[in-house]
Amino acid sequence: EAGVAQSPRYKIIEKRQSVAFWCNPISGHATLYWYQQILGQGPKLLIQFQNNGVVDDSQLPKDRFSAERLKGVDSTLKIQPAKLEDSAVYLCASSLGGFGETQYFGPGTRLLVL
Amino acid sequence: DQQVKQNSPSLSVQEGRISILNCDYTNSMFDYFLWYKKYPAEGPTFLISISSIKDKNEDGRFTVFLNKSAKHLSLHIVPSQPGDSAVYFCAAYSGAGSYQLTFGKGTKLSVIP
């Protein structure tokens, strides 16, 4: 069974530029999550989708971050414009759906904002 | 305000010995706990979980203990192997209808051959 796919794996941009990350969850997984992991910290949930609807985006900085999952399968996360403090690893995870399900993580995209 | 705390940033253990990783939480609504393992340049991998109705869950070399009254859980690895060297994250789900998983900062385990 294929795992969660993410691209790109690494990205370097200058502040005020925009960037987009892509995630393809495990086939059949209804729930998709985007996390931000800053160096030395644990992953922090940014947004959670159930199929193509948003379940929780309370910690998403909506002035600069946006995410979509139009067809209920793959998803994109965008940052526009990027700030220095956005430098982090962006992790995508998926689960079958429902409370307490194990989340399966992709390898992450490491973003460096200069 | 950290709701899941892993107070030891790192731990070194001799191969073959027991590794004990600790986790404390403050939110009494947490009722399902997971441990994830993370190797460099990879995403976290699920290791083991425990529900608040249990006080112990075992899977091979890995055992998780939960002390609800102390709001404390621990992960025991016996015997420790060099391949266990990784960062271990404690995470918790709230039972209040939230699907949000809250992570600790992680503990880096080094198993010395």
Side-chain angles (χ1 to χ4, degrees), chain A residues 24-42:
Chain A
N24 195 28
I26 293 173
S27 177
H29 280 195
T31 309
L32 184 147
Y33 314 79
W34 283 103
Y35 287 87
Q36 179 192 58
Q37 186 179 12
I38 293 172
L39 189 64
Q41 305 285 323

Side-chain angles (χ1 to χ4, degrees), chain B residues 11-17 19 80-85 109-113:
Chain B
L11 175 69
S12 288
V13 171
Q14 206 74 29
E15 180 179 3
R17 298 286 184 98
S19 295
S80 300
Q81 299 174 354
D84 296 329
S85 296
L109 173 67
S110 299
V111 180
I112 304 161

Side-chain angles (χ1 to χ4, degrees), chain A residues 37-38 40-43, chain B residues 2 4-11 21-23 35-38 86-91 102-109:
Chain A
Q37 186 179 12
I38 293 172
Q41 305 285 323
Chain B
Q2 263 208 299
V4 177
K5 300 177 184 179
Q6 294 179 257
N7 292 320
S8 298
S10 62
L11 175 69
L21 295 95
N22 292 305
C23 177
W35 284 93
Y36 280 84
K37 178 169 76 172
K38 186 182 183 302
V87 177
Y88 289 78
F89 291 98
C90 174
T102 302
F103 284 83
K105 289 186 176 183
T107 296
K108 183 176 182 179
L109 173 67

Side-chain angles (χ1 to χ4, degrees), chain A residues 9 42 48 56 59 99 101 103 106, chain B residues 36 41 43 93-94 99-100 104:
Chain A
R9 292 296 309 273
Q48 176 185 334
D56 186 348
Q59 298 192 92
F99 171 73
E101 292 278 351
Q103 296 183 24
Chain B
Y36 280 84
Y93 271 115
S94 164
Y99 289 59
Q100 185 172 133

